Amino acid sequence: MAHVIFETGGKQYRVTEGDEIYIEKLDAEEGAKVKFDKVLAVLSEDGAKIGSPLVKGATVTAKVVKSGKQKKIIVYKMKRRKGYRRKQGHRQPYTKLVVEKVAVRASKPKAEKVEAEKAE
C-alpha cells in the first residue's frame, strides 16, 4: 500500500487509500470528487519517489463527505495593568474527504537507458 504526501491549502498531508482527512475548506459539493496533483512524495514497498518539487504523473482522488465548521475556540488577548482585554470566538471551516484512489503513473525510462539496451 502506497503512502502519498500531497499539498493543499498550504498544508501537507500523508494519506493512503481509504483514509478520512479534514482539510481546509474547498468549494465542492457533498459527494463530488476532488483531484489533487500537487504530490510531493510517493512512499511504497518498492521505494520512495521524491518530487523535485512534485512527482510527475501522481494524483490523489478523493470524495467530499461533508463540509462544516470545527468547534469554537476562544481567542483572548490581555495586557496586564493596561485595561486591554479582547475576547473573540473563531470556528475554522473544513472539508472532510475520503481518499478513494492514489494513482502513480509509471515513468518512462530515460533516453540513455533505452540507447544502452539497443546497443546490447
Side-chain angles (χ1 to χ4, degrees):
M1 187 179 294
H3 291 279
V4 175
I5 299 173
F6 74 97
E7 178 183 351
T8 182
K11 298 177 181 64
Q12 297 174 2
Y13 300 91
R14 180 180 177 186
V15 297
T16 58
E17 290 182 12
D19 284 355
E20 290 183 350
I21 57 171
Y22 293 87
I23 65 170
E24 295 291 318
K25 186 168 192 250
L26 299 176
D27 292 331
E29 300 280 326
E30 287 186 19
K33 302 218 184 222
V34 183
K35 194 174 197 179
F36 301 100
D37 56 355
K38 282 189 166 185
V39 176
L40 304 172
V42 178
L43 312 167
S44 64
E45 295 84 26
D46 302 337
K49 289 183 185 179
I50 308 297
S52 57
L54 303 174
V55 177
K56 291 182 181 175
T59 59
V60 177
T61 305
K63 181 179 177 184
V64 176
V65 177
K66 70 174 187 174
S67 293
K69 290 184 177 181
Q70 294 177 349
K71 290 185 178 179
K72 183 179 277 193
I73 61 166
I74 303 298
V75 179
Y76 188 75
K77 298 178 181 180
M78 181 179 132
K79 295 188 179 180
R80 64 184 193 162
R81 298 187 301 267
K82 305 296 180 192
Y84 174 81
R85 293 188 176 110
R86 299 290 181 267
K87 183 177 180 180
Q88 181 180 12
H90 177 73
R91 293 183 70 187
Q92 183 69 30
Y94 70 87
T95 300
K96 182 180 178 181
L97 301 176
V98 174
V99 178
E100 290 184 338
K101 185 177 178 185
V102 173
V104 181
R105 188 175 67 208
S107 60
K108 296 179 182 177
K110 293 184 180 178
E112 300 166 352
K113 290 183 181 179
V114 173
E115 292 173 12
E117 291 175 5
K118 289 180 182 178
E120 291 177 1

